[in-house]
């Protein structure tokens, strides 16, 4: 675990060391040439890889060495930018910082997963004043209607790292901006709650193939799944493992850490469906995204309003869109081009953001993506319907 | 093998026995109640299943019993329709016949695969007068341009089995007809040939991660793949296993039995891409589909023309579209509703048709689908490009 | 299944074709050179192999071709022996015939297994006059005491194929004859019955780790085992799948098709143990082996006597001896030397014989061997105890 | 890694906490009841287990907590023994201390393995004055002859924990002392060296099935093995990963970290065999065991003498004996009885001791055991021969 956190810290700066310093600084010498292999669990283009499965057994470099390494890289980055503050270099740094923000969220996900398999259920943080177990009445989901329209999807910042603009950033997979024809649909005003998901479980849904995709049914049967990843039923009471240790299940909070298979089955159960990523982006264009509450590691209950809520401040939301290139998609040039495009099979898009996501990492056009069986990210359920 | 063919023959009539006779005939008694379990490798909704993996070890019922069973079911179907020739029953029969046509293609695929792993390379048929090894000059691929448009996709025959019209048929997954906004694109006039694919291999592509999707690279490395499924390199010469046994590779014929991973990597190699299924359907609306040559089990070389060729008479064509529901999709009602919708994850759409497909099973709106690693169906490569 | 039986018939004669005819006949031409690959699932020393896992998908050569092939080989063997009836050739033929006898038993095992996974539970033969469901009283197991002794184990026919004597035969793994010091022990007069094994099950043994070897516990938990391979509990009644189809469990008959793990756990449950292979051979030297009833595919109940019964006419008996070389062991010379020695890890010895074994294939010194998790051979339980 | 070491430290004292304090002290309260689950990766008899595979992801309890826990248990043990210094309790403590010694060796093995998969090849210790790369001449192996004999094997300290004597200790699996008839054999005077094993590799042995057991050949082919676990060939030079980091291969030192499959194949290559565990024990009865050099983590080269050397001061030595119970074997009573007996399948006995083993943990009768594919313990090769 320490190894994994150290590893993530190391890999973050590996990006800057490899794609900025080694490529653009004539002065730069590697802190430790071997670190390159450790860093490279990902990029087939830059040589020998250290497989991810082995990462858990890495106990060196020590945390101390990793911090020294990061200080070393930070210093070299600043020195390089002092002598060459060109657009070109700034853009690589911006890409590197966004990359680092992704790893900040991954670190919180890994810590949660890691602690969750420990029978001691360690706490990452203390609860303080959070009201985790609110039992007040919650209104049923309301749907907002959207008419057929041709809308703009994505953004246009350019896919060449050399033309990324100064203050704005978007990944290549959000580009280019293009038109999409949307059919009439209705969009839920909030996420599905733990109470609602519990009713699904209690209906016997994990024993009833009718709600499930074929691969989803195979997945829950092969792995003996009968509830979301971090739920525990102890003496007939439901608990949820969190960064605050094991907590009684908060019935009004959004269900989180569900797989696409579970989200899709739940939607079938309620005669609804998941939105497409285009429907989601269209809804988000019309309703402001509330900032996530900082330093809190669990999504809060829905605050009643006339708006569409919980777009980015609670859980990522599974969409019914496969992760595929936009029309006209061009990967970032160079080795960093492996970043996004090569994952465009077998994964589904999630939209929004969650309580683990750095706040200024969020935007309407952002496309997150995971395999349909995965649930260790903070993923929830937004419902939609065909409008008839 | 005999077991598998018997099994398919059995399963085909299982559809009629279960969904037509057992449900709508008061007179019908099952030929053998145990056959129900054998038949049910597929429908979670109708009880205990016999797993597909075990099918290879089935040696009973014998071919003789299966033929008796089919005769028995045929007779019962005719008797039922004699007394009740309602729309409702006709529609079930139509669905059953289309189902049976799919299994006819599957049987040819299974026989080919089965013979292919036998070191004796048995022949399913003799070559006769086929010109398998044409070495005449072939023009390079030409691209036809299509402008931005809003087009109709799919068909509108209705998703309720009770409202299927008499002479027309389409599966639920092709419905409803709906509008899609298409961006400008160019579409190749023919499929990629064996010669072209061989150049890709000879460039070292199976050792070069840059062309491959991440899951695709993992797939070819894990399984030590270095060429299409049925190719063999013997003493530096290339051969292809076919229904006519092992044959020298016909360089002008379309490459077939490639996975989506291979098709996608090949497209990257040529700076092209695969078409979306909407682009494919739009192109097919504008160019007639030539009938496949019957009783031939290998795709022929491209016939030069000014048209777009090989749409349905050679190989299925991988598209870059994930297999997902159309807006407004409704599964067929009842247990037969498991037919299509539950496979809508992790698979990619193929369009067209191939030399194994019954001729009147083809139509522009038809959506075939397989997992991206699969190649035992007759799948080829149609290229497309963004029009700039 | 047909494929498997054809395969076995083919492989049997493959032995004679490869080790007798191809090596010693100047006239012999191969019936079909490709058959060599099919045959070679076993011998690393004679070239490219066809993996066993793929055998189930072999549908060619057809049964007709296999019979032609066998006739062809038989004829060539007779012609060769007509011209050269030397000891050397006779010995290869003797080895080949013993090899063929082993495959006769394997064929009965494979047919049973194959039919057993078919939900139709086909019958290989009709029961006729067998009394399968005898419920008369059976005396408890009695133990015969043996004192400490130095005994002869194994036989001395020689390990060089050139010195095998004319009418006698033993495999290399039974050789050489050597002395073993035996400690005082007691040996059960009959095999454990289905009724006794059922009491073990009903005690909750499959949920109680205390009786099981560590690998055995993992085996039954991983594979969800809760009873012997061919047992079925249907509406609270126990049945056993047999060559005569599904039959009510015969409580007095010996339990069969148990793994070593099950045999060992059962012995622990009764505070007994399994005998060593040396104890077994010593007991068999002192008590005659009854001939197995021919044309019967299920072991019969114990016939009361003052002797030690069911030594070779019911089930093979797991011993607590790992399959290892005897002191002075020498593999047969040449490629046929791969026959036995290379399996001498991870397997346990079984002694005796069973209802599937050709009668003149049995002898006191015979060493059968299987992996401890396997149960598709006809394996039962003989108990022993330390004599105190 | 830290997690694993913490885990081992935790588990060691778990033994005392569970089998001594919880059972025999009325005062004792658990330091943390949850630790019981962490501790229990092993004993099916004492409740819910934490699977070994998950151990790598344990990051809590922290090292600090583990040390507090150990101090707590140590104190409680001393207090208990102050009030009850009975034979019974002393014996549990003795068993616990021997158990702890085994974990000391395991910790060195785990650290080595863990560091070895790290591409930085971290050093556990600095080399100091060790002469790692001695290239002086080494005499070929000499064999000592032993005649046929009836010898005593094992020891007789009693299998009931209540009758263990005060100062002597032996595990249940070494008991009882019993007679074994040994056939004439010859025993090598030293272990096989790296130079000798290298000649085996250079002969093409890893591509030649003739030397290998069937399971061994499958093992090296499935895992692409071509040399011992910690060897690396870098620019045509051989290195070995050690506790001192990557070091040039010391040609005169004994080959270590070989699997049983490799040891057995090497023996076949030289027309020798591995000794039985009884032959090994007999040889050790006649030649004194030299003390291992302390604080050294690599075996030294053989020192020429007229004796049999390297019995316990270099590497454990694979024997050709499966790990099975001795005649009259009785497991320790109670839950601690799971300690040894339940592993008595599929493993092979190693005899001797190695440079990682605590010195007073060694004795002639000690039986170590591992699966034949394992090599992360310090295992080497002693040759033997039939004496003719």
């Amino acid at each position: 675990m320490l190894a994994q956190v150290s590893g993530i810290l190391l890999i973050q700066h590996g990006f800057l060391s490899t794609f900025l310093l080694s490529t653009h600084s004539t002065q730069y010498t590697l802190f430790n040439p071997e670190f390159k292999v450790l860093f490279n669990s990902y990029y087939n283009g830059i040589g020998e890889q250290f497989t991810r499965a082995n990462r858990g057994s890495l106990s060196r470099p020590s945390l101390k060495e990793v911090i020294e390494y990061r200080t070393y890289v930070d210093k070299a980055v600043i020195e390089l930018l002092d002598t060459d503050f060109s657009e070109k270099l700034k853009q690589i740094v911006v890409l590197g910082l966004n990359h680092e923000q992704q790893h900040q969220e991954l670190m919180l996900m890994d810590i949660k997963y890691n602690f969750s398999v420990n029978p001691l259920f360690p706490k990452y943080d203390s609860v303080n004043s959070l009201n985790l177990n609110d039992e007040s009445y919650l209104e049923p989901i309301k749907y907002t209607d959207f008419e057929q329209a041709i809308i703009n999807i994505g953004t246009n910042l350019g896919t060449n790292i050399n033309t990324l603009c100064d203050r704005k950033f978007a990944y290549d997979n959000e580009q280019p901006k293009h038109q999409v024809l949307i059919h009439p649909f209705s969009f839920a005003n909030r996420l599905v709650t733990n109470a609602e998901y519990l009713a699904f479980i209690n209906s016997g849904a994990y024993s009833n193939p009718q709600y499930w995709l074929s691969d989803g049914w195979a997945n829950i049967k092969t792995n003996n799944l009968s509830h979301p990843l971090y739920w525990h039923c102890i003496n007939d009471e439901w608990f949820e493992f969190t960064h605050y240790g094991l907590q009684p299940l908060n019935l009004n909070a959004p269900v989180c850490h569900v797989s696409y298979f579970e989200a899709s089955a739940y939607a079938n159960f309620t005669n609804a469906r998941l939105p497409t990523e285009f429907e989601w982006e269209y809804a988000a264009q019309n309703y402001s995204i509330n900032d996530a509450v900082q330093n809190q590691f669990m999504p809060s209950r829905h605050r009643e309003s006339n708006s569409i809520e919980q777009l980015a401040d609670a859980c990522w939301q599974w969409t019914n869109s496969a992760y595929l290139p936009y029309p006209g998609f061009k990967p970032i040039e160079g080795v960093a081009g492996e970043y996004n495009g090569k994952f465009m099979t077998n994964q589904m898009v999630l939209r929004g953001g969650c309580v683990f996501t750095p706040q200024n990492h969020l935007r309407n056009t952002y496309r997150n993506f995971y395999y349909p069986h995965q649930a260790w990210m903070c993923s929830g359920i937004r419902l939609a319907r065909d409008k008839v």
Side-chain angles (χ1 to χ4, degrees), chain A:
Chain A
M1 170 60 219
L2 186 58
Q4 280 174 306
V5 170
S6 297
I8 291 177
L9 291 170
L10 176 74
I11 285 166
Q12 288 169 3
H13 272 46
F15 185 95
L16 291 172
S17 175
T18 303
F19 295 122
L20 181 71
L21 297 169
S22 298
T23 320
H24 295 96
S25 165
T26 52
Q27 319 264 337
Y28 184 65
T29 53
L30 292 175
F31 180 78
N32 181 339
E34 296 289 356
F35 281 18
K36 240 178 121 169
V37 183
L38 289 178
F39 156 57
N40 188 22
S41 63
Y42 190 89
Y43 298 88
N44 290 311
I46 58 174
E48 199 185 344
Q49 288 188 309
F50 186 73
T51 56
R52 278 174 207 225
N54 270 340
R55 260 197 217 160
S57 57
L58 279 193
S59 58
R60 297 290 181 280
S62 66
L63 184 55
K64 184 168 159 292
E65 284 172 289
V66 169
I67 288 169
E68 283 167 14
Y69 168 67
R70 287 173 64 92
T71 307
Y72 179 87
V73 170
D74 284 345
K75 191 157 160 289
V77 169
I78 287 163
E79 282 171 8
L80 175 60
L81 293 183
D82 273 349
T83 62
D84 178 0
F85 199 54
S86 62
E87 282 308 293
K88 187 169 162 180
L89 296 205
K90 278 190 280 179
Q91 287 143 8
I92 301 175
V93 173
V94 167
L95 182 60
L97 294 178
N98 276 274
H99 181 74
E100 180 128 355
Q101 285 185 317
Q102 290 183 297
H103 279 292
Q104 287 168 10
E105 180 165 342
L106 276 167
M107 253 195 291
L108 287 170
M109 287 158 58
D110 280 354
I111 288 168
K112 185 169 185 176
Y113 181 76
N114 203 288
F115 281 17
S116 80
V117 297
N118 186 328
L120 304 179
F121 294 129
K123 290 176 171 54
Y124 173 76
D125 200 357
S126 57
V127 177
N128 296 326
S129 61
L130 281 181
N131 181 2
L132 294 181
N133 214 357
D134 156 42
E135 296 184 1
S136 61
Y137 175 73
L138 190 68
E139 295 270 344
I141 286 175
K142 280 173 288 195
Y143 283 88
T144 302
D145 289 345
F146 292 82
E147 298 306 318
Q148 173 156 336
I150 291 177
I151 59 168
N152 285 321
I153 288 294
T155 184
N156 239 353
L157 296 168
T159 56
N160 185 328
I161 203 170
N162 297 336
T163 63
L164 287 173
C165 86
D166 195 11
R167 274 172 302 271
K168 298 272 187 184
F169 177 80
Y171 286 114
D172 53 3
N173 64 9
E174 305 166 52
Q175 309 199 37
K177 183 187 283 188
H178 65 287
Q179 292 187 315
V180 170
L181 191 157
I182 301 271
H183 296 270
F185 69 100
S186 305
F187 196 81
N189 68 321
R190 60 162 174 82
L191 302 185
V192 170
T193 63
N194 284 323
E196 288 162 342
Y197 199 85
L198 192 52
F200 170 64
I201 293 176
N202 290 339
S203 80
Y206 281 81
S207 313
N208 187 342
Q210 80 172 100
Y211 305 124
W212 299 82
L213 288 159
S214 182
D215 288 353
W217 183 250
N219 177 256
I220 66 168
K221 289 301 133 189
T222 304
N223 299 292
N224 283 317
L225 305 183
S226 56
H227 53 70
L229 178 57
Y230 292 136
W231 288 27
H232 293 260
C233 191
I234 302 170
N235 298 330
D236 291 331
E237 271 186 88
W238 283 101
F239 294 81
E240 184 177 19
F241 182 73
T242 74
H243 284 89
Y244 312 111
L246 204 61
Q247 293 289 341
L249 190 68
N250 183 348
L251 292 174
N252 280 341
V255 64
C256 56
H257 297 289
V258 292
S259 69
Y260 175 78
F261 295 132
E262 292 171 312
S264 150
Y266 180 80
N268 284 339
F269 171 72
T270 59
N271 289 312
R273 60 172 174 81
L274 303 177
T276 68
E277 62 168 322
F278 311 113
E279 291 167 345
W280 193 98
E281 187 166 330
Y282 187 40
Q285 287 167 7
N286 289 279
Y287 293 85
S288 61
I289 292 187
N290 289 311
D291 289 346
V293 180
Q294 291 305 294
N295 300 318
Q296 179 184 326
F297 303 113
M298 291 176 67
S300 300
R301 65 160 280 168
H302 169 63
R303 283 152 298 188
E304 307 291 355
S305 79
N306 292 321
S307 182
I308 292 175
E309 298 282 355
Q310 296 182 321
L311 281 163
D313 56 353
C315 306
W316 291 99
Q317 289 138 64
W318 283 110
T319 73
N320 192 22
S321 296
Y323 179 49
L324 290 170
Y326 284 171
F329 167 72
K330 295 271 171 279
I332 298 177
E333 288 178 9
V335 176
E338 287 195 40
Y339 203 82
N340 275 309
K342 74 173 179 178
F343 295 110
M344 291 177 175
T345 34
N346 293 332
Q347 311 209 35
M348 301 303 286
V349 173
L350 298 103
R351 290 299 196 102
C354 78
V355 287
F356 308 160
T357 319
Q359 214 165 326
N360 60 357
H361 197 71
L362 302 173
R363 57 191 166 271
N364 284 346
T365 60
Y366 198 93
R367 304 175 81 197
N368 203 350
F369 51 91
Y370 282 98
Y371 288 99
H373 68 276
Q374 292 181 312
W376 109 111
M377 61 287 174
C378 188
S379 48
I381 309 173
R382 169 83 60 185
L383 296 177
R385 285 184 180 156
D386 296 329
K387 189 184 158 234
V388 278

